[in-house]
Amino acid sequence: MIIIGGGIAGLMAALAAAPAPVVLLNPVAPGEGAASVWSQGGLAAAVGADDSPALHIRDTLKAGAGLCAPQMVAEIIAAGPGLVDTMLGYGVRFDTDGSGRLALGLEAAHSRPRILHANGDQTGAEIMRALIAAVRRTPSIRFLPAQARHICVSGGAVAGVLATQGDEVLRLPARQVLLATGGIGALFRDSTNPPGAVGFGLMLAAAAGARLKDLEFIQFHPTALAANTPSLPLISEAVRGEGAVLIDEHGDAFLNGGDLAPRDTVARAVFAHQTAGHQVFLDARRIGARFATRFPAISEICAKAGINPQNQPIPVRPAAHYHMGGVAVDASGQSSVPGLFAAGEVACTGLHGANRLASNSLLEAAVCGAVAGRAMAALPVGNASTLPEMALPPEPNAAAIRGIMSEHLGVLRTPAGLQRAVAQLQALAPGNPAAELGLRIAQAALARKTSVGAHAVQGTAALHQAA
Ligand code: SIN
């Protein structure tokens, strides 16, 4: 069994599959270059005294704007409280309140405070620390530093992976392969994702013939730090959960109290205000001296940019943050190609619909990673087949399409812009898997004629408006 990727979904799958032997295939050590490590806000789970899975399900369905898969939502959310126990068992140190209970934060469109966090705003890093330690203690998991380049399919089912290690091509037979490769943010100029998040897993899945779903739904986070770096540092929604508000250069709180509306709504409002010529800032001054202890990583990010959030508003702009679409999978994480599984951001389980509820992604990655790991381990290993000698596919060139993606597939799309994107990407697609993926995204966006959730097309009526 091969797991491609070194973030939360991949590590949870490897641990859940134990003692079945697993090869963890990633070009760099687990955790390095993984978006999971950057996750600030936290992990949503209905563990509060005034909370319940039913309320969490309701909030998730509402944010998803009518396009969630209700059964998947129910299963994943119901697994949340148990997942928290599992994580505590792995040694994850979530923040607690003064009386030793788990501290729960509030984020946009959650009706209850239910976001578990660690070291204030370093939740992903703390979860990864504990999972990496658990993986190191598990002898059935072998790390192979190599780059997956092709999923081999034989007789309609997965037969293995071709990977490269330097100049050497590795032929790795396997009947079960999990894609846990993260998202696509780095296909855009402004992104909160690591630079390597160019949709590599989607390219592998597409080439293997797997069905992809909901590709047009890309979530833009409204408050990335307005900087000039390749990845924009995130200013977590949890900062608004603690009382910060969005203002413009005149100090006007232009959202009129709607700062914790669903993320798509806030991103569009920020985008519209900026398009109208305003500058936008996150004003966290009312949090006061507590900012530094509640948000140590964000404090450091701001300090590096020369900003003190205790007395200065933080300049922000929207950035590509999360892909709701992905490899279509069933409840066990299996794609339309037998033996090919996907978990985490690369997968489309139906949990997020048209707009992901904040902090549901770590929950999904961990729950679905573990489900997929167990499902793969339960399948027969089968006989290893010899993988074909074949030329490797071309390397993706994301830089070639970033301008097109950013101009035409951003926060607000237009029918003419989508048509232009399709034409431009069609011309670039031969020989560039990143352009092929971009083309599929643009075609999906063009095909969806109404605005819904994160897919907003100027001049089209919103079918299901996230409340
Ligand atoms: C954030 O901390 O604002 C991001 C959390 C998430 O994307 O779920």
Side-chain angles (χ1 to χ4, degrees):
M1 170 186 336
I2 295 176
I3 292 175
I4 304 173
I8 287 178
L11 300 192
M12 285 294 287
L15 289 166
V22 167
V23 171
L24 201 54
L25 190 66
N26 205 41
V28 289
E32 283 179 33
S36 302
V37 178
W38 292 13
S39 168
Q40 296 174 350
L43 184 146
V47 293
D50 64 344
D51 202 0
S52 68
L55 287 175
H56 190 179
I57 289 167
R58 191 192 66 185
D59 295 346
T60 300
L61 293 172
K62 197 166 164 189
L67 293 191
C68 298
Q71 186 57 33
M72 290 302 288
V73 172
E75 284 177 24
I76 295 168
I77 301 285
L83 171 73
V84 173
D85 290 339
T86 305
M87 293 248 170
L88 293 171
Y90 284 137
V92 176
R93 295 187 287 255
F94 289 114
D95 293 338
T96 51
D97 63 17
S99 52
R101 281 189 297 263
L102 290 168
L104 299 172
L106 182 65
E107 287 182 5
H110 285 273
S111 60
R112 297 285 186 278
R114 64 166 71 98
I115 316 302
L116 286 90
H117 46 86
N119 300 324
D121 53 5
Q122 296 159 78
T123 316
E126 167 58 13
I127 293 175
M128 286 296 290
R129 179 202 62 74
L131 294 185
I132 290 169
V135 163
R136 290 210 175 106
R137 295 192 297 269
T138 308
S140 56
I141 304 171
R142 178 167 75 91
F143 171 56
L144 179 60
Q147 174 74 56
R149 298 294 305 281
H150 184 70
I151 309 287
C152 299
V153 175
S154 169
V158 163
V161 176
L162 299 186
T164 49
Q165 201 174 45
D167 291 337
E168 195 186 347
V169 177
L170 310 178
R171 294 189 155 65
L172 309 167
R175 293 287 180 202
Q176 291 88 33
V177 172
L178 173 72
L179 296 169
T181 47
I184 63 161
L187 293 180
F188 290 80
R189 269 196 298 255
D190 284 345
S191 157
T192 62
N193 292 187
V198 296
F200 209 73
L202 290 181
M203 298 172 206
L204 292 172
R211 191 166 79 86
L212 309 184
K213 191 169 180 297
D214 289 353
L215 294 184
E216 64 276 31
F217 294 118
I218 299 163
Q219 185 168 72
F220 292 84
H221 199 292
T223 61
L225 179 71
N228 290 322
T229 45
S231 297
L232 298 185
L234 185 68
I235 310 297
S236 174
E237 205 159 79
V239 178
R240 273 174 285 141
E242 296 286 345
V245 291
L246 285 154
I247 61 168
D248 62 17
E249 73 281 10
H250 304 300
D252 284 345
F254 59 95
L255 282 168
N256 299 318
D259 294 86
L260 285 174
R263 198 169 278 177
D264 61 329
T265 308
V266 179
R268 275 194 295 277
V270 170
F271 180 80
H273 213 56
Q274 289 182 324
T275 306
H278 294 280
Q279 292 168 279
V280 174
F281 302 86
L282 186 63
D283 184 358
R285 288 175 290 186
R286 68 179 64 176
I287 301 175
R290 215 164 52 78
F291 193 99
T293 46
R294 175 65 180 86
F295 302 112
I298 298 172
S299 296
E300 208 177 305
I301 287 166
C302 289
K304 275 196 193 133
I307 299 156
N308 179 354
Q310 282 182 48
N311 52 36
Q312 276 172 287
I314 307 164
V316 292
R317 66 172 182 260
H321 182 62
Y322 189 88
H323 196 196
M324 273 74 73
V327 181
V329 293
D330 64 17
S332 73
Q334 189 158 212
S335 74
S336 60
V337 176
L340 182 61
F341 289 71
E345 190 171 348
V346 69
C348 180
T349 61
L351 173 66
H352 310 304
N355 181 39
R356 177 178 63 93
L357 187 66
S359 289
N360 266 358
S361 43
L362 290 192
L363 169 72
E364 184 196 47
V367 168
C368 297
V371 165
R374 280 192 290 274
M376 292 196 300
L379 291 172
V381 177
N383 294 328
S385 50
T386 313
L387 301 183
E389 293 284 334
M390 59 171 283
L392 291 173
E395 296 268 9
N397 176 359
I401 66 160
R402 235 168 242 141
I404 302 169
M405 299 296 288
S406 306
E407 196 171 338
H408 301 306
L409 285 142
V411 176
L412 187 60
R413 302 160 178 183
T414 65
L418 291 175
Q419 269 156 6
R420 266 199 296 280
V422 167
Q424 291 170 354
L425 290 163
Q426 247 157 3
L428 295 172
N432 182 359
E436 278 177 45
L437 175 59
L439 177 59
R440 280 172 176 261
I441 295 170
Q443 284 169 331
L446 190 58
R448 190 170 292 275
K449 300 293 180 203
T450 48
S451 293
V452 55
H455 173 67
V457 184
Q458 207 164 38
T460 71
L463 247 197
H464 315 267
Q465 195 56 263

